[in-house]
Amino acid sequence: MPFRASLVTLYPEMFPGPLAVSLAGRALQRGDWSLETTPLREFGEGRHRMVDDTPAGGSAGMVLRADVLARAIDAASPEGDTRPRLLMSPRGRPLTQRFVRELSQGGGAVIVCGRFEGVDERVIEGRGLTEISIGDYILSGGEMAALVLLDAVVRLLPGVMGNAASGDAESFETGLLEHPHYTRPAVWEGRSIPAVLTSGDHGAVERWRRAEAERITADRRPDLLSRRPALPSGAGSRGN
Ligand code: SAH
């Protein structure tokens, strides 16, 4: 069964948005994955279809109502739906490549996009939402965060990336940031490509890439080195 994404959002017109182009867009057209939106507005209260209200306890801003949001979630994800239910949220578990890969191996996801100050806490508990953050900054809504998450997932779906192997060597899959890349021209503004890359010595190229990846990771993200997964066998020595 192809990956099925269901978005609960006040702004359905933001989807598929950028996911309609390039790899993800072609995969969407082929039916390698699908996307549907549940417009929150349709589940609003009263003649004006109100979806939000003032925060209990007082403070600035508005909060998405539990009853309205729950009706929309139930429409998007009826009982028996086994897909994970996610809420895009700056308080959430940080999005990682590991989680992205896990999601890509499942049947899809129900993704709730917050707005305003966020959502009534009771709906998070009552509908078993897992909060996911895409980084330590505040967006104006969960839609862009959902697009980021889906972009990362869709490129891993079977048949989506032309060269499946190119998915494996990338930053984070190995626990290291990626080595630098070069292509033509051989000399650009007086800068040449490192000689080892044009030497034809594949072993030397591999060693150089690994050393560069380790150097860059140690320099920019030393935190990644302490959380590295075990090396696959035959991947060479890592010097510790
Ligand atoms: N008052 C909240 C921020 C609300 S931002 C707070 O201080 O934590 C409005 C909505 O944008 C959120 O409900 C969430 O759905 C989305 N959002 C904002 N930043 C996000 C992030 N870093 N990751 C994922 N979703 C985010």
Side-chain angles (χ1 to χ4, degrees):
M1 266 235 301
F3 185 91
R4 188 158 74 93
S6 299
L7 283 304
V8 175
T9 171
L10 251 185
Y11 298 102
E13 64 273 30
M14 288 180 75
F15 298 93
L19 298 179
V21 301
S22 192
L23 281 180
R26 284 196 294 277
L28 187 57
Q29 271 180 348
R30 278 198 305 269
D32 289 343
W33 67 292
S34 68
L35 182 151
E36 56 206 57
T37 53
T38 300
L40 195 50
R41 185 65 65 190
E42 290 180 8
F43 298 85
E45 286 283 316
R47 195 161 60 88
H48 295 293
R49 299 258 172 260
M50 299 301 289
V51 298
D52 56 334
D53 214 324
T54 53
S59 75
M62 300 295 270
V63 175
L64 288 175
R65 289 174 58 125
D67 52 354
V68 173
L69 195 50
R71 284 199 291 270
I73 292 169
D74 293 345
S77 177
E79 216 171 314
D81 186 353
T82 57
R83 293 173 298 166
R85 292 179 178 161
L86 312 178
L87 169 66
M88 304 320 297
S89 159
R91 293 192 322 197
R93 148 180 178 194
L95 184 61
T96 60
Q97 189 63 15
R98 177 188 295 251
F99 183 66
V100 163
R101 188 167 284 285
E102 245 173 66
L103 268 183
S104 76
Q105 288 162 354
V110 180
I111 307 175
V112 178
C113 303
R115 277 277 158 179
F116 315 119
E117 292 311 315
V119 312
D120 189 306
E121 191 72 19
R122 292 169 294 179
V123 82
I124 301 177
E125 300 158 8
R127 290 298 178 272
L129 305 181
T130 302
E131 294 178 75
I132 301 291
S133 166
I134 67 159
D136 292 343
Y137 40 78
I138 303 293
L139 303 168
S140 49
E143 288 78 7
M144 300 246 213
L147 289 168
V148 166
L149 181 149
L150 285 173
D151 181 85
V153 168
V154 165
R155 61 188 285 285
L156 298 182
L157 297 176
V160 172
M161 259 201 320
N163 175 9
S166 78
D168 299 332
E170 265 156 336
S171 295
F172 307 119
E173 296 282 355
T174 54
L176 291 175
L177 299 178
E178 203 179 41
H179 56 76
H181 295 290
Y182 298 88
T183 184
R184 279 182 274 276
V187 180
W188 174 76
E189 294 189 353
R191 297 163 194 265
S192 16
I193 294 174
V196 60
L197 297 180
T198 48
S199 66
D201 179 343
H202 297 301
V205 167
E206 271 323 298
R207 285 191 297 279
W208 180 86
R209 286 186 170 157
R210 176 137 210 118
E212 283 294 285
E214 285 177 359
R215 178 184 65 76
I216 289 170
T217 310
D219 180 40
R220 302 183 190 176
R221 293 292 305 279
D223 59 299
L224 292 177
L225 291 174
S226 49
R227 306 193 227 132
R228 284 181 67 188
L231 269 189
S233 56
S237 129
R238 62 189 253 205
N240 62 355

